Amino acid sequence: MTTGLHLAPLYTDHDPGPGHPESPARYTAILKALGTSGLLPKLASIPSCQAELPEIELCHPRHYIELARDEVAAGLDTLSTGDTQICEKSYTVATHAVGAVLNAVDAVMTGKLSRAFCAVRPPGHHARPAQGMGFCLFNNIAVGARHAQKKHGAAKVAIVDWDVHHGNGTQDIFYDDGSVLFASTHQSPWYPGTGAKEETGAGKGQGTTLNFPFAAGAGMKQIGAAFQDHLLPALARFKPDLIMISAGFDSRVDDPLGHFKLTDDDFAQLTRWLMAAADEHCQGRLISVLEGGYNLTGLASAVTSHVTALI
């Protein structure tokens, strides 16, 4: 059972500006922590590549992709669609983040790897089909799920999002699609203001969106119960061909952009539960994609704990 890891130095080229929490230092902290952990020799390297336009169009209309490209090229510091800060290299970096997830999907779906973690930035789960928002340009994990379906014939994909912020973009993309299960544990009320328990999908997607909003101060007691009592049984009923994790570590204790209390050991346990579900339902196929996490020390230690569990 081989676990893959994607790292690429170009992720430091996306710089939203001085003092911005989604900074290049996030990637540097992860790289340093994994480099000193002794884990790297145990992990297969997943190469970098730039996603092509038709691949990104699996979840985003061409007019939005071109808008993002052109606004980056024009030197704007914020996308016109919302609150996403950009720099001259943001489009290149964001399309490589998508491409990395596609490479991980290819490796896992063809059996070259059993599991993977992609340490990409910018994050993606707030990106709606035609709107970048919340630090995100493109929805990396959503494009990966669609790629698994289109290229590899995955009938059902499950996406589990444990970021402290609700993955509104991922929810929007799959809200009326019964072939993708989206489940989120998140702080509420909190940015972006979506993810009520009553948001459960529409049309053919009714029942395949699961939201577990919790008040500030929630930790493993509440989130672990949501997994054990609801999310894991839902995965058993859904029987996915691939499980993906929107791995946001801003749900960790002491993160500046959230007020949850998860610990490094808690992330390891959540990871093991999802690995067990993948073993039971989809031959172990599991792909984790970095989302948030803004306390650099906490991010580094949480990612190390998560990757250790994945091996």
Side-chain angles (χ1 to χ4, degrees):
M1 301 292 284
T2 304
T3 301
L5 172 68
H6 171 74
L7 297 166
L10 67 83
Y11 293 121
T12 60
D13 292 341
H14 169 64
D15 188 352
H20 196 288
E22 208 291 285
S23 72
R26 298 180 66 234
Y27 175 80
T28 305
I30 290 171
L31 180 65
K32 182 179 179 180
L34 292 178
T36 58
S37 67
L39 297 175
L40 294 183
K42 304 175 184 179
L43 297 158
S45 178
I46 299 171
S48 176
C49 76
Q50 188 169 24
E52 298 180 359
L53 191 62
E55 294 169 329
I56 303 172
E57 281 185 292
L58 291 171
C59 292
H60 299 285
R62 179 167 295 214
H63 72 82
Y64 167 68
I65 302 170
E66 293 176 343
L67 175 76
R69 179 198 63 197
D70 294 345
E71 291 186 346
V72 167
L76 273 66
D77 59 10
T78 305
L79 284 182
S80 63
T81 62
D83 53 354
T84 301
Q85 284 71 45
I86 52 177
C87 70
E88 63 179 355
K89 295 185 178 180
S90 294
Y91 181 81
T92 297
V93 177
T95 50
H96 274 83
V98 176
V101 176
L102 301 186
N103 278 349
V105 169
D106 289 342
V108 169
M109 293 303 296
T110 58
K112 294 178 182 177
L113 298 173
S114 54
R115 297 178 288 273
F117 175 67
C118 299
V120 298
R121 56 178 299 271
H125 72 152
H126 293 307
R128 305 176 67 210
Q131 181 185 10
M133 62 179 289
F135 310 162
C136 308
L137 279 79
F138 303 120
N139 199 311
N140 308 314
I141 201 165
V143 178
R146 281 285 186 242
H147 181 73
Q149 293 181 318
K150 181 177 181 180
K151 183 173 180 179
H152 299 285
K156 295 180 178 181
V157 178
I159 299 174
V160 178
D161 188 331
W162 66 48
D163 193 287
V164 78
H165 305 98
H166 180 243
N168 62 301
T170 312
Q171 175 172 296
D172 286 356
I173 289 168
F174 300 116
Y175 201 63
D176 60 357
D177 183 348
S179 71
V180 176
L181 175 72
F182 174 69
S184 174
T185 57
H186 51 273
Q187 183 177 326
S188 179
W190 205 234
Y191 183 91
T194 53
K197 187 176 180 180
E198 294 75 20
E199 296 171 16
T200 58
K204 293 181 179 179
Q206 180 63 48
T208 54
T209 293
L210 303 175
N211 282 304
F212 305 96
F214 296 108
M220 192 59 170
K221 178 180 179 180
Q222 295 84 0
I223 293 167
F227 268 66
Q228 291 280 58
D229 298 342
H230 302 286
L231 198 157
L232 296 174
L235 288 175
R237 294 190 298 270
F238 188 68
K239 295 180 174 56
D241 299 297
L242 171 67
I243 295 174
M244 305 184 78
I245 304 172
S246 267
F249 297 100
D250 45 10
S251 47
R252 186 186 183 277
V253 64
D254 293 332
D255 192 274
L257 297 191
H259 301 99
F260 275 2
K261 303 295 184 182
L262 292 179
T263 67
D264 299 339
D265 288 343
D266 295 336
F267 287 115
Q269 181 60 67
L270 296 177
T271 304
R272 288 190 291 267
W273 283 340
L274 292 175
M275 288 169 59
D279 288 342
E280 182 177 355
H281 306 302
C282 49
Q283 298 178 292
R285 292 188 289 264
L286 180 72
I287 298 171
S288 176
V289 181
L290 180 66
E291 300 286 1
Y294 306 102
N295 177 320
L296 297 181
T297 302
L299 172 65
S301 59
V303 166
T304 301
S305 181
H306 176 53
V307 174
T308 300
L310 285 171
I311 295 174

